[in-house]
Amino acid sequence: SEGAEEDAEQSLSMLCDALAADGHGPFVVVGCGHAARLAWVLGGRDDVLGVSLVSPVLDGPMTPEPFRRAPVLVFLA
């Protein structure tokens, strides 16, 4: 919460790598509130099947859809 978004993206990407090395995955990434933007970015990983955005706070423009396959997008208010 106190760090930069780039730090969180790198940390979560490393977590996914470590879980995949242990045989876990593919993943569905869930982002809630302000973390929705981070979930959106992580959706571009090859091992992410979908993204769920719960009550997303999307202040500012979003990057073009980074997904390589059909994502599962869920917007809940």
Side-chain angles (χ1 to χ4, degrees):
S1 296
E2 299 269 335
E5 184 174 329
E6 297 80 23
D7 296 337
E9 180 183 341
Q10 181 180 7
S11 295
L12 289 173
S13 189
M14 289 171 52
L15 175 62
C16 288
D17 291 341
L19 290 169
D22 284 341
H24 301 286
F27 305 103
V28 173
V29 179
V30 178
C32 181
H34 290 281
R37 184 177 301 280
L38 179 58
W40 182 264
V41 172
L42 289 174
R45 291 178 53 98
D46 287 333
D47 55 359
V48 172
L49 293 177
V51 175
S52 177
L53 306 178
V54 180
S55 298
V57 176
L58 304 173
D59 49 350
M62 297 293 287
T63 60
E65 189 173 288
F67 309 110
R68 292 180 179 83
R69 55 180 94 175
V72 177
L73 294 174
V74 178
F75 295 88
L76 302 173

